[in-house]
Amino acid sequence: MENIRLFCLPCAGGSSQMYSGWKKYLNECIILHNVELSGRGTRFGSDLYNCFNDAVDDVYNSIKDYLDKGPYAFFGHSMGGWLVYELACKIKEEHHTSPAHIFIAAQEAPHILQDRHFFLHKLPMNSFKNEIIKLGGIPKELCENKEIFDFYLPIIKSDYKITENYVWRERKDKLDCDFTVLYGNKDNIEIDKVLKWCELTEKESKTYSFDGGHFFIVEYVEKVTDLINYRLVNNIN
């Protein structure tokens, strides 16, 4: 059975630790690569991104040596969903081997016109903090530790800034890899916008619903990884 690399990108403010517990659930042929974004985790202290393209270029440079050495796939949650899409577009433009599969969780398709009149990242820090707590997914221990939470807030806010300022750019060609789109049925995302991901690939696109909110992948680790196993192992080998 041929191995396949799975590169996982986190949500806004997230680090590579977001997927650290997945390895024990993934099929043995799936090699997990948790991508660390600049300014957090093992790269704490490095510069935060000025724009979305900076993040795409940074991730591309960190993984490009793997791109032509066997099959690989991407998984991105929320902000990470748009990152893996733009990353796949850049890989196509640079004439590398395309990913075999892209998993997108808790994110609407980027080419749909969005209401950009309200920007969370422009809120004062306390108001911004309250809004992201409402989204859920932030560990209770972090919420209750004001010193540590406030320490991480600038990273989270910076990620919201580049994501909320991200503008989709139309390409001549669609991507040529399968999509699997996951969403929580209690998330504040319109299902019509989730289903539009299918318009960005020439290949198959399937959508799966989970009973949860924006961070359903934390609650349903085994179900999410079972789906990854099913979609990758059946379609790659």
Side-chain angles (χ1 to χ4, degrees), residues 84-103:
V84 296
Y85 166 74
E86 287 293 337
L87 187 58
C89 290
K90 182 177 179 65
I91 287 168
K92 187 178 180 70
E93 291 162 0
E94 296 292 334
H95 306 292
H96 288 288
T97 304
S98 295
H101 209 108
I102 294 179
F103 296 88

Side-chain angles (χ1 to χ4, degrees), residues 186-217:
K186 295 182 177 68
D187 198 354
N188 188 29
I189 296 178
E190 296 176 30
I191 181 58
D192 290 347
K193 295 181 178 180
V194 173
L195 294 173
K196 291 291 185 179
W197 276 105
C198 68
E199 298 176 354
L200 299 180
T201 181
E202 296 177 348
K203 297 288 187 68
E204 180 183 65
S205 180
K206 289 192 174 183
T207 304
Y208 296 83
S209 172
F210 288 78
D211 185 22
H214 194 65
F215 289 92
F216 67 89
I217 70 169

Side-chain angles (χ1 to χ4, degrees), residues 9-66:
L9 279 76
C11 60
S15 76
S16 63
Q17 290 302 305
M18 182 174 181
Y19 304 103
S20 60
W22 282 23
K23 185 175 181 180
K24 63 182 178 181
Y25 299 111
L26 292 172
N27 187 284
E28 62 182 7
C29 74
I30 300 174
I31 303 171
L32 184 64
H33 288 258
N34 296 329
V35 179
E36 194 74 272
L37 301 181
S38 185
R40 70 219 65 199
T42 57
R43 299 181 65 191
F44 180 77
S46 55
D47 293 338
L48 298 174
Y49 304 119
N50 291 316
C51 65
F52 205 82
N53 284 342
D54 285 350
V56 175
D57 290 344
D58 180 51
V59 176
Y60 169 77
N61 287 328
S62 72
I63 70 169
K64 63 182 180 181
D65 290 342
Y66 296 105

Side-chain angles (χ1 to χ4, degrees), residues 63-236:
I63 70 169
K64 63 182 180 181
D65 290 342
Y66 296 105
L67 299 179
D68 301 311
K69 296 180 178 179
Y72 66 94
F74 291 131
F75 186 103
H77 178 263
S78 195
M79 176 184 79
W82 283 350
L83 275 175
V84 296
Y85 166 74
E86 287 293 337
L87 187 58
C89 290
K90 182 177 179 65
I91 287 168
K92 187 178 180 70
E93 291 162 0
E94 296 292 334
H95 306 292
H96 288 288
T97 304
S98 295
H101 209 108
I102 294 179
F103 296 88
I104 299 140
Q107 186 57 280
E108 60 192 28
H111 62 302
I112 305 303
L113 291 176
Q114 301 161 54
D115 181 4
R116 295 296 181 93
H117 299 298
F118 178 69
F119 295 88
L120 279 178
H121 78 270
K122 291 187 176 181
L123 292 174
M125 194 62 84
N126 277 340
S127 298
F128 175 77
K129 180 179 180 179
N130 292 333
E131 288 299 318
I132 63 171
I133 289 175
K134 289 179 186 177
L135 285 174
I138 297 177
K140 180 181 178 182
E141 297 77 14
L142 182 57
C143 291
E144 293 176 348
N145 191 320
K146 183 178 185 301
E147 183 177 357
I148 296 178
F149 198 0
D150 289 349
F151 182 78
Y152 282 103
L153 271 176
I155 298 172
I156 303 173
K157 201 172 190 187
S158 174
D159 284 352
Y160 268 83
K161 179 181 178 180
I162 66 169
T163 303
E164 291 179 332
N165 286 328
Y166 161 66
V167 178
W168 178 76
R169 176 171 62 86
E170 186 173 4
R171 274 84 172 182
K172 179 181 177 181
D173 299 317
K174 298 179 181 182
L175 293 178
D176 55 354
C177 57
D178 291 334
F179 283 8
T180 295
V181 184
L182 305 79
Y183 74 98
N185 58 16
K186 295 182 177 68
D187 198 354
N188 188 29
I189 296 178
E190 296 176 30
I191 181 58
D192 290 347
K193 295 181 178 180
V194 173
L195 294 173
K196 291 291 185 179
W197 276 105
C198 68
E199 298 176 354
L200 299 180
T201 181
E202 296 177 348
K203 297 288 187 68
E204 180 183 65
S205 180
K206 289 192 174 183
T207 304
Y208 296 83
S209 172
F210 288 78
D211 185 22
H214 194 65
F215 289 92
F216 67 89
I217 70 169
V218 176
E219 185 177 357
Y220 296 104
V221 171
E222 289 191 56
K223 288 186 177 181
V224 170
T225 49
D226 281 348
L227 178 58
I228 292 171
N229 290 334
Y230 171 73
R231 295 288 281 156
L232 285 187
V233 177
N234 284 358
N235 292 320
I236 298 303

